Structure formats: structure tokens, C-alpha cells
Amino acid sequence: MAEPGLPGSAEAAAAGPQREGRAPLPAGGSSAVWQERTEEVKPDVVQEDDSCSDYGSRDKPGTALGRTVPDGNVLFPDIFHTDHLLFYERFKAYQDYILADCKASEVKEFTAEYLEKVLEPSGWQAVWRTNVFEVLVEVVDVEYSALKAVVQLSEPFLCESRDSTFTLECMRELLELKERQIPLQELWVVYDESGEFDQTALAVEHVRFFYQCIWRTWDEEEEDDFDYFVRCVEPRLRLHYDILEHRVPSGLVTDYQNLLSQCEELYRKFLNVRNSISSSDSDSEVENVSMVEGLKLYEKIEHLKQKLKLIENPLLRYVFGYQKYSGLQAKGLRPTGTKITHVVSSTMMSSLLQSLIRDKLCPESCGEELEIQFHNDPLAAVNACYEGDRVIICPGHYVVDGVFCIADSVEIEGYGLSDDIVIEKQGEGDNFVDCTGANIRISNLKLVQHDAVEGILNVHHGKTTLENCVLQCETTGITVRTSAELLMKNSDLYGAKGAGVEIYPGSTCTLLNNGIHHCKEGILIKNFLDEHYDIPRITMCNNVIHNNEGYGVVLVRPAMPSDVKDASAEQTKGNTQPTQSDDGTACVEGFSQELPECLTDELELYEQAKISEQTEGSYKIKIELEAISAKKSQMHKKRLSELGITEADDNLMSQEMFVSIEGNQFKWNGKGSFGTFLF
């Protein structure tokens, strides 16, 4: 029976019987057929909302197979250039043709079946590459089940190595030791203009990429009750291309690589310990010690694997962010004890200087004699600051290539309207403005960010005040880290591909009279329900949050067992509560039965009141946050009770989330004013 959608086609006939869930393979050896198929399925590849990350897949045809000229020995033939495939090409190959819905333990079997259909069994040449040498070989057979090719040395003998000892005789002996079987991922197919070996080159590339970038040595021992492609291949593939396209902070990439190396090393040790136990028949003390050591290694490996999965998952990577260590060191006061006013201007005209002296620099307006330094670069001026210094930036368009690292309490202000004082970041980099000072003030500036990975402004520690500023973002807008404080007022923020403002647990965030618009999400409040997190203090008054792709405000929190229990109880009573209201605003499940009486009364009043659409979001946000705050209080008291502390101190949790959410307007947000993301 022909494959659905391809009735009676030659491709379906050539593909033969198919494993359930796998698409038929394109027939013929030409890469044009492969490209045509990938073009057909291209719109269905990225089904998630990846507007900010198209992985190079939009408005581009399928990658044509080119040739690569060897750098070294000019006698070596050209090879197929296959390592530049686009995301959707690899995605579709693994999803439809190679892995489909296989389990982790079936990966090798599925891959072997795929190779049997597309790989030429003999008659093609390849370059065998290792870290030490390259040698030209000819493939005479393929051991599909072992994912290896049976090869012989080509004539004439061509070899290039770091060590001159790799002679013809040495290579023959090496091949004999390997029984002439070479892993396919170590072979690079020699280019052939006829197109006969195009699919062979692609198949070898898919195997090589999979075992180098996707497969983990511990994958086969994972549970077999899930789809391996969905659980492991897709997130790792997306992470690979996110890193290639500089969408992941460099620090997070380094952390991921270090975690991967640590996990691989521990897993090797674990295998050695396990093998030593299984090979021993005695119940000796040494074996017991080995078992304890094995359990400890296993726990460490599982912990590292969870961290890896957190980074590999694009949604969790966005939700939790990168807890970057900020090692900025404050300079403190100058040894002389003086404070300096830094004036930044690309050109200083006499009229501008007179205005500056009159408005900002005269002793009468400042109350004291000033020491002044002049700069033409705002980054140089900030870097020259000590505790208590002041930076005045004159109108102009300043282009900087670097990061503003502000570790002392300084004041940075524009002299004029914010749209007239523009600081634009050029060049790739993770950050634009990092704040760790105790009391930092930034006012009357426009910050423009390009080609960034992290947000436009990160408040790591201390308090940062942002007033009368415009922030044109490309990634996340402002991030308020744990224990940090942000006061943002009379400012405009737009263009963030993540959230306009990210509020971490334990932080303090005050937003007054701001506009936050045209971002992926307006404001994102991160999980604070965990016992290790403190409750954030949030004030939002008279803000206009509009035209965001998702929600105006979204709260991220874990799904608790009580959520499921309460939802089931409500369904039993026939009173179900949807997770999303008709106006697109997500609601909390299961908290109504556990709310304090005062909150229940407020909720009832809210439901009965006829509130305008523009202010309705403020009430929903306030009630939701207070409900979860009450939930956290109950969890804390329950833990005290389990520890035998029968009289829980009500004042212990009296410092609830300080919520003042009044007068905000939510307009034209794609999913509504407020939503809750459960993970």
C-alpha cells in the first residue's frame, strides 16, 4: 500500500516496507530529490512559536551539496561539504527518516535500517579522519548493524599525518587490527559530480552529527517509555543551533560544556565501578564499598543530567534564565576622598558649555565646588567613576563596543530629552548594562541594543533607579535578579524578544508610569513558590502594557500536587474552572479552597464588580500573586509542623509579597492581560 500523500509513487515503492511513524525515503541518489522533499515539509518543521529563532530555515532553499577542497595534501580528492546543513534539514531527517518514534534502546536499530535504504554498500571512496592522520580509503562493504564500513586502502596510497611513522605498512597493520571496519562517523565521502553518492554523503553526515552532538553515552540506559526524538534529540538539536547563532549567553555555553564533560567523566567511573561489582562473586567488604561508591556516583550523575536537561530545553532555559555570577568589584571612594563630575560630549560648543555651567556645574546649583573631567565616550566616563561620582552625557549619538559595568553608587544622567541622548551598542556581546552598585541612578537616556544574547540591563545587586529613559531591546529587556531592587518610572521599553521585565524571586521591583510594549511577554515573574526562594515585593502603578505578543504579565511557578487534587475535587462537584478565561487570561487552578478568608472575600468582590477592561488586569494579577503567597505560607507552616514545631509563628511569614498593583492599562496583548505558566 502506498504511503498516504504519495499514492503509487515511485518513492513509496522504492522505500519498501516502513516502520510505523516513519516517512518513506526519497528514491534515487540525487540530492535534488532530498532537497525537494525537505522543501515540501519545511513549513511544518518548526511548529512552536519561534519568531525570534528561525534557525536559518526561513526564505532559504534546501542546502545544496557542495565540495570542500582539502587544506593539506593537494593530492587528496575533494570531499562532500555536508557540515553546513540547516536546522530544519537535520530536524526532518531525524524525525521522519531515521529515528521517528523510537525509544532510546532502539536508536542503533533504527539508524541501521535507515542506512540500509540509502547508503551505497560499496564502490565509493572516503577520507578516514582521526586526530592523528587522514588517509584515503575505498569502501567495499557496510556492516549496517555495527554502523561501520569495511574498507581497504586506495591506490595510490595517500596519507597525511602529524607523525611520519604512518607508512603504508603501518596503515595496513592498523586496518588488520580493526578487521578493516571503520566507524561511519570517521569517514568523509569523496565528492562525485554524478550525484550517485549524494545520499550516501548525507547519510554519513547524519550519523556523524548525531553521535558527535546529540547522543550521550548514558542515553541507552534511560527509561524506554518516552519518544527519544521528542525527549532528547529535538531540544539538543535546537540548543546546538542556538549556540551557533549566538542565542545563548557565552557563560551558559561554557557551563553546559563543563557539565557535559563532568557527567561523561563520572559516567565512565560509574561504569568501571559497576563492572567491577558485576564481575565479583564474593560478598566482600570491598564490594560493599564499591556499591556505596557507585550509588554516590549515580546520584551525582543524575544531578548533572537534570542541569543539562534544564539548559537543553528551550522553554525552561527561557523561564529560569542564566544565574550568572557577577564578579564586579566596587572601587569605593577615591583615596583622596573627592567626587568627580564626568561630562561626556562628542563635540563641546561654547553655547553648550555655558548651558551646562548654568544648569549643572555652577557652585550655586550644586552647593559646592566641583572637579570636572571631560570625555567623548560614555563608556570611558563610567569606567573612570568611583563611589559617588556623577556622569552627565550631552546630546548626541554615541556608539559603544563594550559593557557598562557599574559596581559603585554613581549617577548617570542625560542633559536633555532622552531621545536626544542615544547610546547604541555595536558588536556581539552578552550584556549591555550590568548593575551591582548599592544605589545607581540612570536618567534621560535612550539605550539601543543590537546582536545581544542577554538583556539590555541587568540588576544583579543593590538598587538601580531608571527614570525618563527609552530602552530599545533585542533580547530580554530588564532583569531584576534575586536580592536586587529596581525602581523604573516614566520610561519606555520595547522590542524585547523575551520579556520586557523579568522579576526574580527575592527581588524588589517598582514600576511607575511606564510603557512596556511590543515584547514577547510584557512582565515575567519567576517562580517563588519553592522553599528556598523569598517572596518578591512588586509595585506596579499606572503602567501601560500593550501590544505584547503573549501576556501582559505572566507568572511562572511549578505545578503542585494540590493543583491536581483540587482540580479533581472541583470536577467531582461538577464545578470546573478552566485554565484560561474567555478573554485569553490564564487563571490559577485549585487555590480557591485554600485562600484566607480575607482573600476569598476580595475575590468574590472582584468577581461581582464590573471593572473596565483596562484595569481588570491589575486585579487579576494582584489576586493571583496574593493567592500564591498564601499558598507559600501554608507550605511553610506545614513544613514546620512536620519538623515538630507545633506553634508556627505567624509573623515568620508576615512579610508577604508586597503587592501594589493599581491603575495599570493592558491593551492588545496577544494572549490577554495575565497568565500563569505551570512547569
Side-chain angles (χ1 to χ4, degrees), residues 29-31 34-35 62-67 80-85 191 197-202:
S30 173
S31 64
W34 179 272
Q35 294 166 22
T63 302
L65 293 184
R67 61 201 301 170
F80 279 102
H81 183 38
T82 56
D83 59 358
H84 65 310
L85 297 181
Y191 184 78
F197 301 115
D198 284 16
Q199 284 202 35
T200 294
L202 279 171

Side-chain angles (χ1 to χ4, degrees), residues 77-80 124-127 136-137 188-192 197 201:
D78 297 350
I79 59 175
F80 279 102
W124 47 282
Q125 288 186 316
V127 176
L136 186 64
V137 297
W188 272 257
V189 181
V190 170
Y191 184 78
D192 184 274
F197 301 115

